[in-house]
Amino acid sequence: GVRRLHDARAGVLIAPGDVRALRAAGALELGLGRLAAAREHLERAADLAPSDPDILLPLGETLLRLGDLRLAATAYARAEQVSPGNVQARIGRGWVSLLAGREREAADLWRPVIAATRNGATLERMLDLYRRLGDRAAVAEVEAAIGRMGR
């Protein structure tokens, strides 16, 4: 916790161009809900390593939580581009679409990754979305994914 954050921050101060230190500090700040600090570290890391999905994904989440949907969409799209089939990137893109009011687009983005989704809150949101859209097959698939999580 606090010790790891202190060590990560120290690493960034000692070597401000160290991608691993920036990524670690950003991920820890994100985990603590310190979104502005997370954004700063992760944006610097992404500038140095623009094709690293382990930077792009937490950057996308940070930007999404900050409400910067345009930049979050860019981070998630880039993560999916450099890591084809990346479930987290696809889920992130779906969240961006949903929060931007594009429900059908979110549903289309999420459809291929329902079974691979492991986050309960995301599955519940998927369930709500597919019920509202009347997609019974997707509802059944989400319910099955939720059931597998309970095991």
Side-chain angles (χ1 to χ4, degrees):
V2 174
R3 179 74 183 155
R4 285 188 20 222
L5 180 58
H6 175 75
D7 290 348
R9 285 181 180 158
V12 169
L13 290 172
I14 293 165
D18 183 343
V19 173
R20 286 185 318 194
L22 288 164
R23 181 178 58 217
L28 288 167
E29 298 282 15
L30 174 60
L32 293 171
R34 297 171 45 93
L35 301 179
R39 179 180 187 162
E40 180 183 332
H41 294 309
L42 293 168
E43 283 182 339
R44 284 174 49 204
D47 286 344
L48 296 167
S51 297
D52 185 342
D54 292 332
I55 295 168
L56 294 167
L57 292 169
L59 176 59
E61 182 181 343
T62 300
L63 294 165
L64 183 69
R65 289 173 58 185
L66 284 167
D68 193 333
L69 300 182
R70 186 180 60 79
L71 288 179
T74 300
Y76 284 128
R78 179 82 179 127
E80 197 171 28
Q81 180 183 24
V82 300
S83 179
N86 188 300
V87 173
Q88 270 188 278
R90 178 55 67 102
I91 290 170
R93 288 180 60 210
W95 273 110
V96 169
S97 296
L98 186 68
L99 294 175
R102 299 187 307 266
E103 289 190 342
R104 177 60 62 191
E105 182 179 287
D108 291 343
L109 286 165
W110 279 345
R111 193 72 162 87
V113 295
I114 293 170
T117 301
R118 301 284 176 263
N119 179 282
T122 297
L123 286 167
E124 290 296 333
R125 199 64 184 264
M126 286 177 173
L127 188 60
D128 176 60
L129 174 63
Y130 291 119
R131 280 182 175 151
R132 277 201 322 279
L133 295 175
D135 186 337
R136 290 195 308 245
V139 167
E141 198 173 336
V142 174
E143 288 173 339
I146 292 170
R148 283 190 301 274
M149 282 185 63
R151 288 183 203 152

